[in-house]
Amino acid sequence: MSLLTKLTNNVRNCFNASRKVSEELPKGDKEIILSTYKILLEADPELFSKAWIMSASRSTSIRKSFNLIESNNIHIEVEFAKFSAVIERFFTRIICDEKLATELFETSCINLGKRHVDFVSFGFHSNYWDIFLNCMLDVIADTVVVAFANDAKQQHQVQKSWNKFVGRIVFLMQSGFKQRQLAEKTVDKKNNSNEFNENNF
């Protein structure tokens, strides 16, 4: 086993630690995310693209949703690959523009989750985010080892913060997704009840 492989495995073990994603992201973790985001992108400009393509490679359901047949050809599917740029812009906005201000950050993630209800009819399922989360953590783990190769302590700190950060994003998106689904079911139930009462008046 090479040193790089060993270091990367240690990073992944850290990422697999318990994630307190239901809790607000602590100030210290926010500061680490804000200060390391551009460093990670400089270490691997294709970070988001790799995670996005990896998620489809690992999931038959995701490939079907995007009409992708061969998992080995995903990287050349332009229409699919371009979505990684959308994901990167979202991360850049909440980190660089909104500075992870709690209300803005959480509202952005929740609203994004709510908007994904529109894609259910196209085959989207909220558990796709869990797959993408794991892929993001794998790619970030590799990138952290490269970006902070000479500082094991900093690697550990950065790894833990990004673990909580990405986990928090997915948690909030899933919350927004469920909120909208529940709200729409409540409205449908009320409308059906009113229709029943009118028909039996």
Side-chain angles (χ1 to χ4, degrees):
M1 180 184 294
S2 69
L3 177 60
L4 181 59
T5 300
K6 186 175 181 180
L7 287 171
T8 302
N9 287 340
N10 287 338
V11 169
R12 290 200 173 103
N13 288 335
C14 177
F15 274 114
N16 289 332
S18 177
R19 305 168 193 155
K20 297 181 179 179
V21 294
S22 61
E23 299 177 3
E24 180 181 327
L25 197 65
K27 181 180 179 181
D29 291 312
K30 289 182 180 180
E31 291 175 349
I32 289 176
I33 299 302
L34 291 170
S35 64
T36 60
Y37 179 58
K38 291 183 178 179
I39 294 174
L40 294 183
L41 283 182
E42 288 174 2
D44 188 356
E46 301 300 318
L47 187 155
F48 289 98
S49 177
K50 287 180 179 178
W52 180 238
I53 291 172
M54 186 185 296
S55 65
S57 298
R58 292 182 179 180
S59 171
T60 301
S61 297
I62 291 178
R63 292 199 298 276
K64 286 182 178 179
S65 295
F66 286 89
N67 295 317
L68 301 171
I69 300 174
E70 297 294 334
S71 60
N72 293 330
N73 294 333
I74 292 173
H75 64 286
I76 63 174
E77 295 287 348
V78 177
E79 288 301 310
F80 176 80
K82 72 179 183 181
F83 281 99
S84 66
V86 177
I87 298 170
E88 182 173 343
R89 284 197 297 272
F90 177 75
F91 272 74
T92 298
R93 176 165 64 83
I94 61 177
I95 296 173
C96 299
D97 299 337
E98 299 176 358
K99 305 296 182 183
L100 297 181
T102 300
E103 186 173 352
L104 287 173
F105 164 55
E106 298 199 350
T107 299
S108 292
C109 295
I110 289 172
N111 286 341
L112 182 59
K114 288 180 178 179
R115 288 199 295 273
H116 275 72
V117 174
D118 295 330
F119 305 127
V120 171
S121 60
F122 296 98
F124 174 80
H125 194 285
S126 61
N127 65 10
Y128 292 174
W129 289 326
D130 293 320
I131 298 169
F132 179 69
L133 167 63
N134 289 325
C135 293
M136 275 291 290
L137 297 186
D138 280 347
V139 175
I140 291 172
D142 292 335
T143 308
V144 166
V145 170
V146 174
F148 305 98
N150 299 318
D151 193 334
K153 182 178 180 180
Q154 189 172 20
Q155 280 184 25
H156 183 73
Q157 292 174 333
V158 172
Q159 293 150 16
K160 288 184 67 176
S161 294
W162 274 89
N163 178 29
K164 287 189 281 187
F165 173 56
V166 180
R168 181 66 175 161
I169 290 175
V170 171
F171 173 82
L172 291 170
M173 289 175 66
Q174 289 176 331
S175 296
F177 185 85
K178 292 174 183 176
Q179 286 174 20
R180 182 177 167 191
Q181 280 193 319
L182 180 60
E184 291 186 354
K185 286 180 180 178
T186 300
V187 171
D188 289 342
K189 185 176 181 180
K190 184 177 180 180
N191 289 339
N192 290 336
S193 177
N194 290 338
E195 184 178 343
F196 175 80
N197 291 333
E198 289 174 0
N199 291 336
N200 289 274
F201 181 70

